[in-house]
Amino acid sequence: TQITYCQNETASQLTATGTNLLWYTSPTGGTGSTTAPTPLTTNIGTTSYYVSQITGVCESNRTQINVVVNAIPETPVITQDQNILTSSDSTGNQWYDSNGLIIGETNQTFTVTADGDYYVIVTENGCSSSQSNTINVIIIGISEMSMLSTINIYPNPVKNELTVEITNSTAKCNFELTNILGETIYSSTIDKKDVINTSNFSSGVYLVKLNIDKSTIIKRFVKQ
């Protein structure tokens, strides 16, 4: 017999069918208890319990009950590249939007087809992680794609100074820099060109989001 729990899940007292039950922590020897144990779930692994019954003056052989405690997966982190989201975990993913579970979307990557908020939960051995960071995605259409060639971000990778340049817009536009968690770390208004001091940025992947002509354009850069 096997009973499975997730780490730190509330366990129930063990049960067995029989009369005058005696519970043990070893297959032989020891003194049986008439009180059924309640397994601990704080440690990952398998713990074996044993139970017998007494009929008249005779005690039966002991039956083994294994209690398996599985780990809860680490909270995944999702990153964004245009309308493609990627989970930090390669398996066990389930994608969600603001309406709940997205049926059939269980791959490491998810291609977004509608604007909205998205996150992922990882499940392994029946145990689910906490939900990941939430990323708000705005779909880039054909007209927005044509604008990408007129937006220059350099150097990429960058060390100390990042230049954001727009070559086809005469109006000022708002833009922001976000980290892979979707947190805004810098925002400003650009008129043709802006130079950002990135010397204090941590190494990693960042996104530049520009609002141009009622559209949002997203480009990625790497801080060395």
Side-chain angles (χ1 to χ4, degrees):
T1 301
Q2 179 171 298
I3 302 171
T4 303
Y5 290 102
C6 296
Q7 190 175 19
N8 297 320
E9 183 179 355
T10 301
S12 300
Q13 191 175 36
L14 297 180
T15 61
T17 301
T19 56
N20 300 319
L21 298 176
L22 288 176
W23 295 89
Y24 298 87
T25 57
S26 59
T28 59
T31 301
S33 172
T34 57
T35 301
T38 299
L40 296 176
T41 62
T42 52
N43 296 322
I44 300 167
T46 301
T47 303
S48 296
Y49 299 86
Y50 305 85
V51 62
S52 67
Q53 65 174 335
I54 296 178
T55 304
V57 295
C58 298
E59 183 176 358
S60 69
N61 293 329
R62 299 176 189 181
T63 297
Q64 182 173 333
I65 300 175
N66 292 326
V67 177
V68 179
V69 178
N70 291 320
I72 295 175
E74 292 185 4
T75 302
V77 175
I78 57 175
T79 56
Q80 178 186 8
D81 186 1
Q82 305 299 341
N83 64 327
I84 298 177
L85 302 179
T86 302
S87 169
S88 58
D89 205 311
S90 60
T91 60
N93 295 286
Q94 174 60 63
W95 292 91
Y96 295 79
D97 60 16
S98 56
N99 295 317
L101 183 148
I102 306 173
I103 297 175
E105 296 298 343
T106 57
N107 294 326
Q108 184 176 13
T109 61
F110 171 58
T111 300
V112 178
T113 58
D115 295 354
D117 294 328
Y118 295 88
Y119 62 92
V120 73
I121 292 176
V122 171
T123 300
E124 297 175 357
N125 297 318
C127 301
S128 296
S129 69
S130 299
Q131 76 173 53
S132 70
N133 54 306
T134 298
I135 290 183
N136 178 264
V137 180
I138 300 174
I139 301 300
I140 296 178
I142 296 175
S143 60
E144 289 89 343
M145 288 295 292
S146 65
M147 295 180 190
L148 286 175
S149 61
T150 64
I151 299 171
N152 300 314
I153 297 175
Y154 58 89
N156 190 8
V158 63
K159 289 185 177 180
N160 298 319
E161 288 187 342
L162 179 73
T163 298
V164 180
E165 185 177 31
I166 303 175
T167 61
N168 76 331
S169 178
T170 59
K172 292 183 179 181
C173 66
N174 297 322
F175 78 100
E176 62 180 353
L177 305 186
T178 68
N179 58 22
I180 61 172
L181 300 180
E183 300 168 334
T184 300
I185 57 173
Y186 179 87
S187 61
S188 185
T189 300
I190 184 173
D191 180 9
K192 296 295 184 181
K193 181 188 291 187
D194 194 4
V195 178
I196 302 123
N197 185 346
T198 58
S199 59
N200 292 327
F201 288 18
S202 300
S203 299
V205 177
Y206 293 83
L207 299 177
V208 179
K209 297 183 178 181
L210 301 102
N211 298 313
I212 304 175
D213 298 330
K214 298 181 180 180
S215 299
T216 299
I217 306 300
I218 300 173
K219 281 205 169 186
R220 183 173 61 173
F221 70 93
V222 176
K223 170 63 170 67
Q224 291 182 331

